[in-house]
Amino acid sequence: QLILLSTSTRLKLPSLEVPTGIRLSLTNDASEMVVQFTTGMSGVPIVQVVHPHKKVSIYRGQSTTYTSTDMCQYPANSTETGNFVPPGNLHTVLLNDLVPDKKYQYRVGLETTQKSTKKILYSLDYHKFLTSPTIGSDEPFSFIAYGDQGCPLDGWGIGGNYSAKMIKRELDDSKIPIRAVHHFGDLSYARGHAHLWDDWLGMISVFTTRVPLLVGVGNHEYDHTGGGRGKDPSGEKSDHGFEPYWGNFGQDSGGECGIPVSKR
């Protein structure tokens, strides 16, 4: 039996505009790059890009979020302590008209309106990325592929943090440019405990700010046994989602049914 001994004062986050979970991803166009990040404060997401010839461009993007009612099952749809927490504002900005195979510098920010005056709040840190090679290029490149990561205190124990550090080491030491990181699925192992998504995105930011991350959807992001009709982002019409006869699928996502991974 649990006994309440005391209650703390309400905690306040002092810097809701500080971006977290900054990450890159690819499109089908070698002249594009996608930047995603999260903030507690709402506003128009901004990415400031310094081009190789020092020209500075500003790109604006779109934002989204999700709620506990978007989830399919317990514990993901529960607001009890340790289960669902609001993810904040999830921002996506498309960078275009980039030159293939060139290094760019960037930082993220928010454009807000205060007393009818627009103001851009930029992050302090600049990051760098290398754009995709020209189609048909014969220059060698490499990429990293792995799966089943989890967070430092979940998933596969300390292995999640260790693998993130190993990827950063490869980026630092590789003689052949690493163009992307492919995670095949079973990402954060949040399974309905939403704070683990923020933990995981923070942990992998040591490399996702530098190279594009491409992910697959694993059973621990998607599998559910009910509540999916009208919510399943895959477009599956049934309550239980994609469930072929040869599978042994259960409620492996903790009721998330692919919502966090599709939104984030």
Side-chain angles (χ1 to χ4, degrees):
Q1 182 180 359
L2 300 178
I3 300 175
L4 178 64
L5 299 179
S6 63
T7 302
S8 70
T9 57
R10 182 178 293 273
L11 299 177
K12 294 183 178 180
L13 299 177
S15 302
L16 296 178
E17 74 274 12
V18 174
T20 61
I22 301 172
R23 55 203 181 275
L24 302 167
S25 62
L26 296 173
T27 73
N28 292 326
D29 190 329
S31 68
E32 295 179 342
M33 186 72 73
V34 174
V35 181
Q36 295 176 291
F37 61 99
T38 302
T39 60
M41 178 184 290
S42 61
V44 178
I46 299 287
V47 176
Q48 183 189 64
V49 176
V50 181
H51 296 254
H53 46 73
K54 304 305 179 184
K55 171 189 172 184
V56 177
S57 298
I58 292 179
Y59 297 85
R60 289 171 171 81
Q62 303 293 325
S63 307
T64 189
T65 191
Y66 56 91
T67 68
S68 61
T69 59
D70 294 319
M71 304 299 188
C72 295
Q73 289 176 290
Y74 183 89
N77 61 6
S78 166
T79 56
E80 296 171 356
T81 301
N83 296 333
F84 180 84
V85 292
N89 299 282
L90 311 174
H91 308 298
T92 299
V93 181
L94 173 66
L95 314 182
N96 53 19
D97 296 325
L98 306 177
V99 180
D101 206 27
K102 296 293 183 182
K103 291 183 179 179
Y104 287 78
Q105 194 174 26
Y106 74 99
R107 63 175 176 170
V108 303
L110 277 182
E111 183 178 65
T112 63
T113 301
Q114 300 175 1
K115 296 182 179 179
S116 301
T117 301
K118 287 187 177 182
K119 181 180 180 181
I120 297 179
L121 305 171
Y122 282 115
S123 62
L124 297 177
D125 297 326
Y126 279 93
H127 307 283
K128 296 179 180 180
F129 65 81
L130 179 65
T131 50
S132 301
T134 304
I135 295 176
S137 171
D138 57 2
E139 289 295 318
F141 70 92
S142 58
F143 64 90
I144 295 173
Y146 75 114
D148 293 273
Q149 186 172 24
C151 290
L153 299 180
D154 197 62
W156 301 112
I158 61 173
N161 196 33
Y162 180 64
S163 61
K165 291 179 178 179
M166 288 180 65
I167 293 172
K168 179 182 181 298
R169 183 194 67 187
E170 292 298 317
L171 291 178
D172 292 338
D173 298 342
S174 177
K175 304 302 181 185
I176 300 176
I178 295 173
R179 298 289 191 170
V181 174
H182 296 242
H183 193 305
F184 292 142
D186 293 349
L187 311 178
S188 70
Y189 280 84
R191 293 172 291 189
H193 308 297
H195 66 281
L196 290 175
W197 278 108
D198 294 314
D199 290 346
W200 181 72
L201 288 169
M203 180 180 68
I204 64 173
S205 65
V206 294
F207 64 86
T208 60
T209 55
R210 300 169 59 183
V211 293
L213 173 68
L214 296 89
V215 302
V217 179
N219 58 306
H220 289 293
E221 283 80 57
Y222 178 77
D223 286 1
H224 53 286
T225 57
R229 192 180 302 272
K231 297 181 178 181
D232 188 332
S234 73
E236 173 65 40
K237 304 299 183 183
S238 66
D239 282 334
H240 52 70
F242 175 69
E243 192 178 43
Y245 72 91
W246 43 262
N248 60 348
F249 309 135
Q251 196 182 343
D252 299 348
S253 74
E256 290 184 353
C257 59
I259 299 297
V261 70
S262 67
K263 291 286 189 178
R264 292 174 179 265

